[in-house]
Amino acid sequence: QVQLVESGGGLVQAGGSLRLSCAASGTIFSINAMAWYRQAPGKQREVVATITRAGFTNYADAVKGRFTISRNNAKNNLYLQITSLKPEDTAVYYCNAEGVLDGLLNHEVWGQGTLVTVSS
């Protein structure tokens, strides 16, 4: 079974920085797109940033200029460098991968999430 494991979350003061990591393991034939999502208390899950295998990226307006998504295709790892944290960034951050996974085409897998808490 393909698994995604996030790490790097924690409690940070506003204006601080964090680096989130996501490690994919298991029966992976290929990963096309990867993404970071987040879900704040009482709110729906939203996309934060996406990245293709070739490295094309997109960001939510709320995080542009502050978050940087990257990936290491050889390691099947995903990263999110976060700077200038704001209290509204507080959420559980989830890693997502789409591709040929567990023998299935266009299959998606989610991680369990890592909590980022930003104090004011």
Side-chain angles (χ1 to χ4, degrees):
Q1 293 292 110
V2 173
Q3 288 187 302
L4 303 179
V5 180
E6 301 96 337
S7 62
L11 175 62
V12 186
Q13 286 187 285
S17 300
L18 280 176
R19 182 176 174 83
L20 306 184
S21 298
C22 170
S25 62
T27 307
I28 301 170
F29 183 80
S30 64
I31 298 177
N32 179 22
M34 301 189 80
W36 286 100
Y37 287 74
R38 68 184 182 185
Q39 187 166 24
K43 298 188 181 297
Q44 292 187 312
R45 188 175 300 186
E46 63 179 359
V47 64
V48 174
T50 62
I51 184 168
T52 68
R53 169 169 285 273
F56 294 102
T57 60
N58 285 104
Y59 296 91
D61 288 342
V63 307
K64 286 181 179 178
R66 300 187 298 118
F67 290 22
T68 302
I69 189 172
S70 61
R71 62 189 287 179
N72 184 318
N73 294 337
K75 295 181 179 180
N76 290 320
N77 287 170
L78 179 71
Y79 308 96
L80 188 68
Q81 182 66 50
I82 307 173
T83 61
S84 302
L85 278 161
K86 303 175 180 179
E88 51 262 45
D89 293 322
T90 295
V92 177
Y93 284 72
Y94 297 92
C95 176
N96 173 271
E98 181 275 328
V100 185
L101 310 171
D102 290 322
L104 301 174
L105 299 177
N106 300 312
H107 190 59
E108 289 193 358
V109 177
W110 292 88
Q112 289 296 115
T114 185
L115 177 63
V116 173
T117 303
V118 184
S119 62
S120 59

